Amino acid sequence: GKVWRHFLKNEHRTGNKMEIKKILIANRGEIACRIIRTALDMDIETVAVYSEADRYALHTMMADESVPIGPAVSSESYLKIENIIETAKFTGCDAIHPGYGFLAENAKFAAACEKAGIIFIGPSSKAIIAMGSKSKAKSIMEKAGVPVVPGYHGSNQDTAFLKKEADKIGYPLLIKAIAGGGGKGMRLVKKPSEFADALKGAKREGEASFGNPIVLLEKYIETPRHIEVQVFGDTKGNAIHLYERDCSIQRRHQKIIEEAPAPGMTEKLRARLTEAALAAAKTIGYVNAGTVEFIVDARGGLTDDTKFYFMEMNTRLQVEHPVTELVTGLDLVELQIIVAEGKALPVKQKDISLLGHAIEGRLYAEDPENNFLPQTGQLHWFQIPGESATFRFDTGYGVEDQISVYYDPMIAKMICWGEDREDTIERFLEVVSTTQIAGVKTNLSFLGAVCRAQAFRSGKLSTHFIEDNQADLKTGFDISPRDIVLTGALGYISERKFDQDQTRKGNDIFSPWASGGWRLNHAYSETMKMALGEDHFAFEARPVGETGIWNFVFEGREIVSGYLDESHFPAALTCLNSEQGSENYALSTYFHDNTIYVMGGGRTAEIILEDAAHTLEAEAEAPGTVKAPMPGKILEVLAKNGGMVEKGDALIIMEAMKMEYTLKAPKTGKVKGLSAKVGEQVSDAAQLLEIEEN
């Protein structure tokens, strides 16, 4: 395990023996691994729990002990409070760390730990209850003098009443589930006619995600920035803040890029924000790590007098906590453990200063070109730059691990530090360009596109940054599909030649059989057929003697030559000289089954070999077929057999990988063959209905 660079030195613990000897981590993935690293540095033993899907996951390998906790479905494993408590007792754990997500903000879980005499590394169940309801939290904050967004957060949930309240507030407005977070149960309503459907969806998602359909209404800030303050409290009455983070870059109301400090922040505005955050924490006597989140009205940028409003308080460690660690030098998990033992915070507010700038990008298995639809599959190839003083990579996955349909699709967090924001952006882009992933689609290139965008570089941020800057967020290669395919062909030739060299009998390098391309009285050539998306290519590949150079022939013309560098196998570096000029592409390739992955600059293209391409053509569904994009649960069926629909109409609402999706009509016509039923679990690519043109 890695020993983290701490602000807290060993002398803070000298002569003060740690009371916690063994921690059960009630979580999985990268956060479980991250907690284990700090526990290792503090000489604390760890126990990991795992579901059937996570038997060989990285966190189970890193912990001192690993215990099975149930089936893959989280409700039968990671969310089983009684099983986790019993496991902690059985393994002799003093404490439980919930990480984030799952049971991290579950007051019943915190209370169960308290009742069992197990230290809960987090706030009290009372504090979780106080802040767990967004409506109750807003009421508490109003009484404490913390500004809140105008809206309605009362108990009356009658649809007609809420519609009247919405009309009073004005549009646009947000409907938000009062429980949970992460964008679940949240709907933006731009006009009155959209209210009823949005309310229904928010209530349904709130019930499905948190077991609570109650919602609140609040005014939508037109140019919002999401800025939050990290706070810490101890049992001795001390409370500190660790400055702010900007989490404005979001998709589907979920963060993907976070940074600290917030770009453009003034000292006066920072003082106002942190003062309000501490007031919020002190009002409820908060203990341990927490985050107070604000919506900031960023019209005209940030000024000393910029208005901000309390949004919610997260009573746990945040996904984005590493950026705070890098700019303060503090280990937040270590502070959590010290406070959970009943000790005073070992640092005072005057001891904490900001140093440099940090940016975190969340690496997700998702398709940015298809509304960020989550992806599942195996990580066939996963190569990252080495960690350093300026780069940290938090992950729970390795090569050949499976991205499961049962859990959140986040693969890792890439965190960079620099002396200033511009320096940090450049470091982050370098990390993106040198990271290679094959096997599942990811948002890697999208993260790079965001950081390259001029609006991001200039600090013009908002929570609708992605929608406002679509033209600048291109994720594809800058080279032609043909050259991508030829690069893939070179990589395929390289890997195949490597395999032949390994299996060829004899060591006579002068034998004519030592060359895979040698033929008697005949120059070797090979016809290849490949598909890249909807583009299909057929060409002839010819080696140029023993030079390692290959010429590719399209329609009888030799127009491109390529050179492969086998020293980089299995990610063989390849270059192409195009007919347009001396264009050299330093791209890597990886071959698995019938797919060639071409990688470079954070981008990945998938090329299908001949047989698989033919299969894809043969099995292409009718243009009116609607299939499940992944395994999931049918929540609502809006279409009817025999009914007419317009292109773009909502047909079916389903839930998959903790997110809700609406399947829409691909064309205008009549619905037939409708098989989807509410509550049904459907498999990946299951045909749900067809649309027949009139």
Side-chain angles (χ1 to χ4, degrees), residues 256-271:
I256 55 171
I257 291 180
E258 302 99 349
E259 52 186 313
M265 179 61 64
T266 71
E267 287 302 323
K268 186 175 180 180
L269 179 57
R270 174 176 289 132

Side-chain angles (χ1 to χ4, degrees), residues 672-689:
K672 70 172 188 177
L674 176 63
S675 61
K677 298 177 182 178
V678 174
E680 178 186 17
Q681 288 284 345
V682 295
S683 60
D684 183 23
Q687 185 167 318
L688 304 177
L689 60 83

Side-chain angles (χ1 to χ4, degrees), residues 20 96-98 119-124 127 230-235 238-240 242 281 285-291 313-317 332-343 345:
I20 293 177
I96 292 178
H97 197 306
I119 297 172
F120 180 75
I121 303 178
S124 67
Q230 177 73 61
V231 295
F232 251 97
D234 63 25
T235 57
N238 302 308
I240 59 172
L242 275 63
Y286 193 81
V287 174
N288 216 276
T291 301
M313 183 174 185
N314 285 301
T315 53
R316 54 172 166 81
L317 194 67
L332 271 61
V333 173
E334 184 172 15
L335 286 180
Q336 281 192 294
I337 294 171
I338 291 171
V339 168
E341 292 175 318
K343 298 184 178 71
L345 282 162

